[in-house]
Amino acid sequence: STVVIVGLGGLGVEIAKNVILAGVKSVVLYEFEDNCTVRYDDLSAQFYLSESDLRSVSTRAEISFTKLRDLNPYVNVSVLKGDLMDIITSTHCSAVVLTESGIQQQTTIAEYCHKSGVSVIIADVWGVFSSVFCDFGPNFVVNDTNGEPASSSMIASITTSTLEVFAQAGYSLSPSDASKVVLMVTVLEDNRHNLESGDRVNLSDIVGTGIFNQLNGNEFDVVVKNGDPFSFFILMQPSSTPIESSHYERGGYVNQIKKPVSISFKSFKESIIQPNEIVCDFTKCERALPMHAAFFALKKFQEKAGCLPEPGNSEHAAEVYRLTVEASIAGGPLSSLDLSSECLSKHEDVIKRLALCSRGVVGPMCALIGGVVGQEVLTACSGKFMPIKQWFYFDAVEALSDEPLPLHEVQPLGSRYDGQIAVFGRSMQQQLAELNMFLVGAGAIGCEMIKNWAMMGVSCPSASPNSNNSKSIKGVTYVTDMDRIEKSNLSRQFLFRNSDINQPKSTTAARAVTSMNPAFNAVAYENKVAPETEYLFNDDFFEGLDMVCTALDNVEARLYIDQKCMFYHKPMLESGTLGAKGHTQVVVPFKTENYGASRDPPEKSIPVCTLKHFPNQIDHTLQWAREWFEEVFKQTPEDVKQYMSMTRAAYESSLAAQQNMKLDTLMRIQAAVAPATRPTSFEHCVVWARKAFEDLFANRIKQLLHNFPLHQVTANGTPFWSGAKTPPTPIEFDSNDPLHLEFILSSALLLAAVYNIPVSNEVALWETTKNTLATTVVEKFKPVQGLQIPTTEEEAKSESKFVHVDIDEQCRNIIRSLPDSNTLGSLTAMDFDKDVDSHMRVVAAASNLRARNYKIPEADLHKSRGIAGKITPAIATTTAFVTGLICMELFKIVQQKEASKLMNTFSNLALPLFTSMEPEPPKVTTSIVKGKEWKWTQWDRIDVKDPSMTIDGLISLLSESYGVELSMLSSGVTILYSDFLDRKKMKERRAMPVKAVVESVTKKTIPASQKYLILEIIVSDEDTSEEVEIPYLRFKLY
């Protein structure tokens, strides 16, 4: 697809960036001649322009061209001039995006596109207000309406039903339906079908007779009764086989088939008068139509005056409001909106604020609308996701000052921040410049975030950071990320290029944004933020910050940062994406709950017996393959390393701590180092892989079927192989099967890497592998008699606790058989990494072979990578949207807005859905002390600022200031003082300084860099002697 983007200001460049990263065929950049050269207000958001470009005669599109082209070498980017309609025709474009255009231009071009069958998107950002219009033609087909993967469920049972069910569910029956068979399909209880009435499904792998066997490969429309998440009904054509002689035996899969949906769009001229449904934040629905009228009036003001209203000009604001009322009353062009004067009066302040900041350019607003429009462009080109139909309005009016700013505050300074000053004022700009920020993570979200900050002027102090008095300068952004850039990052982390691959993310990102705004003061680290790096990110570091922003991909790291922000009373900006979904959360000390206060329920774990013997989903086989990878390529080399690092006697002694596992451990070591099995060449690795194939995908399956034959029944007479248990089929090795060879080659290569065995080039490897396989002999399977295989989770747990009585003797025999450690070469343990292809090839091949055993649909490398790494790839559009949203919250925090003005958000660009809500307040604990209520939250604590204070002094402080009596004082797991311990010791400790007591009891010196002790206290009310819950105590050491 070819996309034409008109206007390369802050919004236009954001859209272009997102569309190019997504990988359309070609992008044409175009500028109207009357608005194409660089102005100061462009620099507030257009990250590919600089102050030096202000003197250039080149257009913004021409200046930005090279950098946009370099984002993706597979996209043809060009700059064209001339008549726009001729360009639209000659390029055969699929979509046109209009930004920074007047209402006459929009009407003319949109009408031309509508008649020509070209999708058109019109987008405007005015300060903290924005609008988007979409017209994708009268018959636009959406192939994927929600962006969710097609659901797939395993069938538990299929039974017959009656036509009454369809009638009760509101299904229209025809006379021809009377002869059809009604079937109720029920899926396993641990996997909801996620279907709605009218959805279409395909049924497969059902084992049965008669009509049940005829279900396979056919498609059906389903009826879901009363929202039942586990069963649905289908109508089947009558069969020559009577239903009475048909029998459902077991198994089968329900696979959803996504049906295309056709949508009709009005033209711009029609839709502006009759907009129908307007997409907006659910909490601002009542504002949608008044804002539609206000945007129309603002365009009319611009058309009449030749410019937008001036910042701080109340007369201009009043005129925009008057034009809004005039357009909406009877006889006005928007009279069909049916807006009363009372309704418009209710929104008068907001409409005037729109006018007052309409000349403003705010980087985060351009970023978030650039994300929305970028996604709409992709939808127009691909039919993937539901488009905006047809208007979208978004505002962040809560971020504005409570009252309009005076004229002198919003006057331009002749600086790159003039566009933002027009909205938030000069004083705010100075505050932003002096912020000390900490960005944790420089991936997809981190790159967008640090770019936004540089455009906003965050951490851009006027003094040079290299001057002699740099220690006194406020205004620095610290960014840290321990990862290095990989090729897969380039499609969504726009600050990185091919030449940056293998370079640190943090330093590369900091360097890239400093080139965008040289005043941006960034300090980059390559360290994880965790307990082991508290020497670096210490008390002084966190206390010097104004705000912390997380750009992380895991909950554990977020929770650690959350605890730090709570301890140091720092605001935290949190955001994340999951494909087209995004969320933001703002955490402000004492005003909102902390991040860890509300948690998603833990992921449901896969039962051990399901994983080992009865998988029914590709997730199960991938988890199994990952565990096999960990055992063979990580745990075994680590076990060998431990054996090599100790004497035999010492190693045997160390095994006592793992009684249940030591035999397995020693058997792995024996297989890894014994001369008969230790590989010394690539050919040996191929032999090992071939034997592993036979063991995993043939012999273990044969043993399972030996224990549980196909026709076995349970104690209550039901078939053993039913419900979630699908009988597997052993795989016979075939050297011509690509998947079989992929497992052999990828596993052999990884084993060679573990043993540090050099390998030859790829062509030679294939020849060596084929020749070795041709001569490799595997032992014929012999079932193990009496082997117990657990069939339930309880049996699996019991099995893990069982220990053979002769295990110690077996272990001693193995240890005696092991070669001396000094005769062994080193082994390299492999830590699984989803982004390392050599790792994923092994896991994907093993998973798909096991899936083939159990007739589970297989997954390609890309899908397997996502499931095995538990990731949904980030997309540039969602990332831009959520970072823009969270940066708008930054403005509010700097202004110390009350909690009601802060917003947490959830969005889904695939629907599209946009919701916001006020953050939850911190949970209040109420304690009763001396008959009075003491209300406190997790943000509260008792601060002791006297480093020399003794425990006696602390007891007095608690009594005099809080009316409580100290019962016990502890630091971590160490009890420092307690009224039930030895009185003589307690008397001695009471006279000692708290720091001295801690060092004496723990027998450890407190590091000189440690500034605080966290002390837990148990106290009681002095009047009632009842135990009272109070906040923790923070003790200052210096």
Side-chain angles (χ1 to χ4, degrees):
S1 299
T2 296
V3 179
V4 176
I5 298 175
V6 180
L8 262 293
L11 177 58
V13 77
E14 286 281 357
I15 298 167
K17 173 204 67 179
N18 295 330
V19 171
I20 292 168
L21 287 174
V24 298
K25 179 184 176 184
S26 60
V27 171
V28 175
L29 309 176
Y30 181 88
E31 297 263 32
F32 290 119
E33 290 185 1
D34 59 347
N35 183 27
C36 63
T37 55
V38 182
R39 306 181 308 270
Y40 267 117
D41 54 6
D42 288 322
L43 303 183
S44 292
Q46 222 285 25
F47 44 82
Y48 288 149
L49 301 178
S50 65
E51 281 92 337
S52 62
D53 296 322
L54 291 165
R55 300 180 294 274
S56 175
V57 296
S58 298
T59 66
R60 296 173 301 179
E62 290 168 334
I63 297 169
S64 307
F65 162 72
T66 302
K67 291 176 181 177
L68 286 170
R69 181 195 61 192
D70 292 346
L71 284 172
N72 190 340
Y74 302 105
V75 176
N76 179 29
V77 181
S78 60
V79 178
L80 295 182
K81 296 182 179 181
D83 183 76
L84 180 56
M85 260 79 91
D86 289 343
I87 290 172
I88 292 170
T89 303
S90 62
T91 57
H92 305 288
C93 65
S94 301
V96 175
V97 181
L98 293 176
T99 70
E100 302 182 352
S101 49
I103 194 165
Q104 286 302 322
Q105 293 170 318
Q106 292 172 352
T107 304
T108 302
I109 296 163
E111 288 300 305
Y112 179 81
C113 290
H114 187 80
K115 293 174 182 177
S116 304
V118 177
S119 298
V120 64
I121 302 166
I122 300 172
D124 288 299
V125 173
W126 287 318
V128 297
F129 296 83
S130 60
S131 73
V132 177
F133 167 80
C134 296
D135 172 12
F136 297 168
N139 295 297
F140 181 73
V141 177
V142 181
N143 298 308
D144 180 357
T145 59
N146 59 14
E148 299 295 330
S151 65
S152 180
S153 307
M154 189 176 185
I155 297 172
S157 66
I158 304 178
T159 56
T160 57
S161 188
T162 65
L163 284 171
E164 292 178 3
V165 173
F166 278 72
Q168 292 169 1
Y171 187 87
S172 300
L173 296 170
S174 64
S176 61
D177 291 328
S179 61
K180 293 180 180 178
V181 178
V182 180
L183 298 175
M184 183 174 79
V185 181
T186 302
V187 301
L188 296 178
E189 288 190 2
D190 62 347
N191 190 13
R192 295 167 178 250
H193 56 60
N194 295 321
L195 299 171
E196 298 176 355
S197 292
D199 284 349
R200 177 159 292 182
V201 297
N202 171 275
L203 303 182
S204 63
D205 297 314
I206 295 169
V207 178
T209 60
I211 65 166
F212 293 101
N213 191 45
Q214 297 166 22
L215 293 172
N216 290 320
N218 289 315
E219 296 180 7
F220 303 91
D221 290 332
V222 309
V223 167
V224 180
K225 185 179 178 182
N226 299 327
D228 187 337
F230 301 111
S231 64
F232 59 86
F233 298 87
I234 59 174
L235 275 176
M236 185 180 179
Q237 294 291 346
S239 169
S240 57
T241 306
I243 185 67
E244 294 78 12
S245 59
S246 301
H247 176 63
Y248 169 78
E249 292 183 15
R250 63 174 181 269
Y253 287 91
V254 179
N255 301 302
Q256 182 187 18
I257 299 171
K258 293 210 167 188
K259 295 193 296 185
V261 175
S262 181
I263 299 176
S264 177
F265 287 81
K266 294 179 182 179
S267 70
F268 178 74
K269 186 184 292 185
E270 292 177 282
S271 186
I272 202 167
I273 297 171
Q274 293 182 322
N276 296 338
E277 182 181 343
I278 295 177
V279 179
C280 61
D281 181 346
F282 279 0
T283 62
K284 298 180 179 180
C285 286
E286 65 171 12
R287 193 184 293 173
L289 287 176
M291 290 311 299
H292 183 77
F295 269 68
F296 177 83
L298 186 60
K299 287 284 187 180
K300 286 298 181 181
F301 180 99
Q302 183 184 31
E303 184 180 42
K304 180 181 177 181
C307 63
L308 290 166
E310 293 178 355
N313 191 321
S314 58
E315 292 181 2
H316 283 187
E319 176 63 10
V320 170
Y321 178 69
R322 189 192 67 78
L323 289 171
T324 304
V325 175
E326 183 181 86
S328 306
I329 61 175
L334 302 182
S335 58
S336 61
L337 300 182
D338 198 24
L339 289 170
S340 66
S341 57
E342 291 81 4
C343 174
L344 291 173
S345 177
K346 181 180 177 181
H347 299 284
E348 180 178 353
D349 287 344
V350 175
I351 294 171
K352 288 181 176 179
R353 296 304 288 268
L354 162 65
L356 289 171
C357 71
S358 60
R359 286 196 192 181
V361 180
V362 179
M365 285 295 298
C366 292
L368 71 90
I369 296 302
V372 172
V373 175
Q375 190 59 61
E376 293 305 302
V377 171
L378 301 179
T379 296
C381 295
S382 67
K384 184 175 175 63
F385 300 168
M386 186 65 75
I388 291 172
K389 189 174 180 296
Q390 294 185 245
W391 293 89
F392 169 64
Y393 289 102
F394 178 88
D395 71 75
V397 69
E398 301 84 5
L400 295 175
S401 58
D402 294 338
E403 297 295 331
L405 294 171
L407 188 60
H408 70 270
E409 264 289 311
V410 294
Q411 289 297 297
L413 291 170
S415 82
R416 67 174 301 132
Y417 311 115
D418 280 352
Q420 188 167 278
I421 287 171
V423 179
F424 292 107
R426 297 179 177 185
S427 300
M428 165 72 83
Q429 199 59 51
Q430 185 60 36
Q431 288 179 278
L432 293 173
E434 295 179 351
L435 287 179
N436 290 340
M437 306 290 290
F438 187 27
L439 177 61
V440 187
I445 287 178
C447 283
E448 288 286 341
M449 195 74 69
I450 200 171
K451 174 265 295 177
N452 286 347
W453 292 356
M455 294 298 99
M456 292 162 64
V458 170
S459 302
C460 295
S462 54
S464 166
N466 297 317
S467 62
N468 293 331
N469 64 340
S470 61
K471 288 186 178 179
S472 64
I473 295 173
K474 283 191 65 84
V476 58
T477 287
Y478 304 95
V479 55
T480 189
D481 196 310
M482 61 187 296
D483 289 343
R484 290 183 173 258
I485 299 163
E486 299 173 1
K487 188 173 181 62
S488 61
N489 299 146
L490 303 184
S491 65
R492 56 190 183 275
Q493 298 173 19
F494 88 106
L495 296 178
F496 307 145
R497 302 290 178 272
N498 276 313
S499 58
D500 297 322
I501 291 174
N502 294 325
Q503 296 300 308
K505 287 185 176 181
S506 57
T507 56
T508 306
R511 185 174 62 250
V513 293
T514 303
S515 70
M516 295 175 176
N517 183 355
F520 186 66
N521 186 17
V523 175
Y525 296 96
E526 298 174 40
N527 303 85
K528 182 180 182 180
V529 185
E532 56 266 31
T533 57
E534 287 181 357
Y535 69 92
L536 180 64
F537 306 116
N538 54 24
D539 296 319
D540 288 336
F541 176 84
F542 274 99
E543 287 186 331
L545 298 174
D546 293 301
M547 223 174 297
V548 178
C549 179
T550 58
L552 297 161
D553 60 1
N554 68 89
V555 172
E556 182 183 358
R558 287 182 170 105
L559 289 172
Y560 177 80
I561 298 295
D562 180 49
Q563 289 300 308
K564 287 294 182 183
C565 289
M566 288 185 67
F567 184 76
Y568 296 103
H569 290 170
K570 302 299 177 184
M572 178 172 129
L573 303 173
E574 152 64 14
S575 56
T577 66
L578 191 69
K581 300 172 187 173
H583 77 270
T584 65
Q585 181 179 353
V586 57
V587 175
V588 179
F590 303 102
K591 293 181 180 179
T592 74
E593 67 178 6
N594 62 303
Y595 170 78
S598 55
R599 300 270 303 278
D600 291 333
E603 289 187 20
K604 192 174 181 180
S605 60
I606 304 171
V608 174
C609 59
T610 300
L611 207 60
K612 288 188 173 182
H613 307 297
F614 310 114
N616 55 67
Q617 300 173 29
I618 195 67
D619 301 52
H620 300 166
T621 65
L622 277 162
Q623 180 65 28
W624 173 88
R626 272 207 60 179
E627 292 189 2
W628 177 75
F629 178 101
E630 293 286 333
E631 177 185 331
V632 173
F633 301 108
K634 183 177 186 289
Q635 190 59 53
T636 298
E638 288 181 347
D639 290 339
V640 172
K641 280 183 178 180
Q642 187 180 14
Y643 166 72
M644 292 170 60
S645 67
M646 308 167 73
T647 63
R648 289 196 189 193
Y651 184 69
E652 186 173 358
S653 177
S654 72
L655 288 174
Q658 46 174 308
Q659 185 68 16
N660 288 4
M661 296 297 298
K662 66 180 183 181
L663 181 58
D664 287 342
T665 300
L666 286 169
M667 291 176 69
R668 285 199 302 269
I669 294 174
Q670 185 180 43
V673 303
T677 53
R678 177 186 174 92
T680 57
S681 66
F682 181 69
E683 288 83 351
H684 291 166
C685 296
V686 173
V687 172
W688 171 88
R690 174 65 184 88
K691 291 181 177 179
F693 181 101
E694 197 70 14
D695 173 51
L696 297 171
F697 310 115
N699 293 349
R700 294 191 190 186
I701 302 301
K702 292 174 183 177
Q703 181 68 49
L704 184 63
L705 294 172
H706 172 78
N707 280 42
F708 307 109
L710 291 179
H711 299 292
Q712 179 158 324
V713 296
T714 63
N716 59 12
T718 59
F720 177 84
W721 294 107
S722 62
K725 294 185 178 74
T726 301
T729 304
I731 297 176
E732 184 176 345
F733 181 77
D734 180 357
S735 59
N736 294 316
D737 189 307
L739 182 58
H740 296 196
L741 283 178
E742 170 67 1
F743 175 82
I744 298 294
L745 183 60
S746 61
S747 300
L749 282 170
L750 202 58
L751 190 72
V754 168
Y755 283 89
N756 300 301
I757 297 170
V759 294
S760 53
N761 62 63
E762 189 172 341
V763 176
L765 282 179
W766 276 109
E767 290 301 316
T768 301
T769 301
K770 290 179 180 178
N771 293 336
T772 305
L773 288 172
T775 58
T776 300
V777 178
V778 295
E779 293 183 6
K780 188 176 180 180
F781 170 73
K782 294 180 181 179
V784 179
Q785 302 299 328
L787 179 68
Q788 298 295 314
I789 295 179
T791 60
T792 65
E793 186 75 347
E794 291 71 26
E795 289 179 10
K797 290 177 180 176
S798 300
E799 180 193 49
S800 66
K801 297 176 182 177
F802 181 74
V803 180
H804 293 287
V805 292
D806 62 345
I807 189 172
D808 291 333
E809 183 58 32
Q810 291 181 63
C811 290
R812 282 191 288 271
N813 289 337
I814 292 176
I815 290 175
R816 283 193 289 267
S817 73
L818 295 176
D820 291 335
S821 59
N822 56 12
T823 65
L824 303 174
S826 64
L827 273 67
T828 302
M830 300 291 171
D831 286 304
F832 175 77
D833 188 335
K834 65 182 178 354
D835 294 320
V836 176
D837 283 349
S838 61
H839 295 186
M840 271 311 307
R841 285 179 59 193
V842 173
V843 169
S847 169
N848 284 332
L849 284 167
R850 188 162 176 82
R852 195 170 290 183
N853 280 137
Y854 286 87
K855 297 184 177 65
I856 297 170
E858 298 169 23
D860 61 21
L861 186 66
H862 177 72
K863 184 177 180 181
S864 297
R865 193 191 305 275
I867 299 172
K870 295 183 179 179
I871 56 168
T872 298
I875 55 179
T877 51
T878 317
T879 303
F881 182 69
V882 299
T883 52
L885 284 172
I886 202 67
C887 285
M888 294 310 296
E889 298 304 305
L890 190 154
F891 287 114
K892 301 176 188 178
I893 294 173
V894 172
Q895 297 175 78
Q896 300 182 0
K897 293 275 188 177
E898 61 267 27
S900 62
K901 297 294 181 69
L902 304 175
M903 293 292 174
N904 291 342
T905 68
F906 173 78
S907 55
N908 188 342
L909 299 184
L911 295 179
L913 170 72
F914 307 93
T915 63
S916 65
M917 66 212 76
E918 180 184 332
E920 289 290 324
K923 182 181 177 182
V924 176
T925 299
T926 302
S927 301
I928 306 296
V929 180
K930 292 197 169 186
K932 296 181 179 180
E933 288 188 347
W934 180 2
K935 295 181 181 292
W936 54 278
T937 72
Q938 292 283 43
W939 292 103
D940 290 296
R941 61 171 174 249
I942 297 172
D943 267 314
V944 178
K945 299 180 180 180
D946 180 3
S948 64
M949 182 175 284
T950 63
I951 290 183
D952 253 339
L954 184 58
I955 291 172
S956 298
L957 173 70
L958 291 172
S959 174
E960 294 167 7
S961 301
Y962 301 98
V964 294
E965 182 180 353
L966 181 65
S967 302
M968 188 168 76
L969 176 70
S970 60
S971 177
V973 296
T974 304
I975 297 177
L976 306 177
Y977 171 85
S978 175
D979 53 15
F980 61 78
L981 293 180
D982 182 86
R983 292 191 176 186
K984 183 178 179 182
K985 280 187 177 180
M986 293 304 101
K987 186 177 180 180
E988 291 174 358
R989 291 181 186 177
R990 286 181 64 152
M992 296 170 62
V994 172
K995 178 182 178 183
V997 174
V998 173
E999 292 182 328
S1000 172
V1001 176
T1002 62
K1003 295 180 172 55
K1004 293 179 180 178
T1005 302
I1006 297 173
S1009 60
Q1010 185 173 332
K1011 199 169 183 177
Y1012 301 103
L1013 283 174
I1014 298 177
L1015 303 176
E1016 289 80 29
I1017 50 181
I1018 296 178
V1019 297
S1020 57
D1021 188 326
E1022 286 185 331
D1023 290 350
T1024 65
S1025 298
E1026 292 185 4
E1027 190 173 303
V1028 179
E1029 186 179 4
I1030 66 173
Y1032 74 94
L1033 190 150
R1034 186 176 78 161
F1035 189 91
K1036 190 173 183 180
L1037 293 171
Y1038 63 88

